[in-house]
Amino acid sequence: AQRVTQPEKLLSVFKGAPVELKCNYSYSGSPELFWYVQYSRQRLQLLLRHISRESIKGFTADLNKGETSFHLKKPFAQEEDSAMYYCALRSGAGSYQLTFGKGTKLSVIP
Amino acid sequence: KAGVTQTPRYLIKTRGQQVTLSCSPISGHRSVSWYQQTPGQGLQFLFEYFSETQRNKGNFPGRFSGRQFSNSRSEMNVSTLELGDSALYLCASSLAGTGGGYTFGSGTRLTVV
């Protein structure tokens, strides 16, 4: 069975400081990894997916299969980055479900 | 275009009752998934439907069921409600259920008393 672990429930950083939200997964195959974000009073929304290798709102994430990690990074945190971040895994073709981590609340201190 | 619409937004039910939640996906999206969100367990997958067929089911008891109609709208039903069923129920839609790029609704907050 697959599992997604986000070790930090809460992460506080100062504005302008680098941010790294950790995500580790356990799955024996080749998963697809995603980051979802939920801003205050808003819906859960897709931030980025590893297959796109894109940068959204300054955030990037690299899939490290050796370390089974998919950490989310941003070089300079902004106050508007404060939100709940969820890492999610899809176990590949033939699977239509996401397995979510429990989330990390990012608080950016002005 | 309109987003994923879930109704009702809030619901209070008594133990033993049953409840039906509704989800209207984004126009053109044929895959609808349901998730339960609780403070303790986080987001947990319930089931996914595509073209009126259930393709995936999560590890929930048979009291939780769902269906999808020909217009892709979906309903989930919970029978014999228990206190532990109190949660935020989220619906998500996508074109085909692949790719993981799901669009979520605002959810239905169910409270069982």
Side-chain angles (χ1 to χ4, degrees):
Chain A
Q2 56 259 35
R3 178 180 292 180
V4 176
T5 303
Q6 293 179 251
E8 302 136 331
K9 283 189 175 181
L10 173 64
L11 182 64
S12 296
V13 300
F14 286 101
K15 178 182 174 181
V19 175
E20 182 178 51
L21 297 166
K22 291 183 168 51
C23 172
N24 291 91
Y25 67 90
S26 63
Y27 179 64
S28 56
S30 294
E32 295 176 27
L33 274 297
F34 310 87
W35 278 98
Y36 279 79
V37 62
Q38 188 167 29
Y39 300 101
S40 179
R41 292 190 173 82
Q42 293 188 28
R43 304 175 181 203
L44 192 63
Q45 57 186 282
L46 178 66
L47 181 62
L48 53 80
R49 66 190 84 183
H50 90 270
I51 57 173
S52 300
R53 300 190 65 82
E54 58 201 342
S55 173
I56 303 294
K57 299 184 179 183
F59 284 99
T60 59
D62 290 317
L63 179 60
N64 186 323
K65 292 186 177 181
E67 295 183 0
T68 59
S69 67
F70 188 57
H71 303 328
L72 184 67
K73 300 177 184 179
K74 184 170 182 177
F76 308 104
Q78 302 299 315
E79 290 180 64
E80 55 266 30
D81 296 330
S82 295
M84 195 74 184
Y85 291 80
Y86 295 93
C87 182
L89 175 154
R90 190 172 83 92
S91 55
S95 171
Y96 307 102
Q97 69 180 77
L98 293 175
T99 300
F100 284 89
K102 295 229 174 143
T104 297
K105 184 174 181 179
L106 175 64
S107 177
V108 180
I109 305 164
Chain B
K1 54 184 177 182
V4 178
T5 303
Q6 291 188 246
T7 56
R9 290 294 307 275
Y10 303 93
L11 210 47
I12 300 176
K13 290 287 187 178
T14 305
R15 271 183 303 174
Q17 287 187 312
Q18 74 163 14
V19 67
T20 299
L21 312 181
S22 179
C23 172
S24 293
I26 289 174
S27 178
H29 283 193
R30 297 169 63 189
S31 168
V32 175
S33 303
W34 289 89
Y35 290 82
Q36 182 195 66
Q37 186 175 28
T38 59
Q41 299 299 316
L43 282 150
Q44 292 186 290
F45 172 76
L46 281 157
F47 25 67
E48 189 264 358
Y49 288 88
F50 180 82
S51 292
E52 303 178 65
T53 300
Q54 186 184 89
R55 297 193 295 190
N56 263 155
K57 189 177 192 306
N59 189 26
F60 278 82
R63 299 184 297 107
F64 291 81
S65 62
R67 59 177 175 170
Q68 186 180 35
F69 302 95
S70 58
N71 62 358
S72 294
R73 190 177 71 84
S74 177
E75 290 182 346
M76 68 163 281
N77 183 278
V78 188
S79 62
T80 320
L81 284 165
E82 301 177 0
L83 295 179
D85 298 333
S86 294
L88 181 66
Y89 290 88
L90 293 172
C91 167
S93 77
S94 72
L95 282 170
T98 57
Y102 299 102
T103 303
F104 281 82
S106 297
T108 294
R109 173 76 62 186
L110 172 65
T111 302
V112 182
V113 297

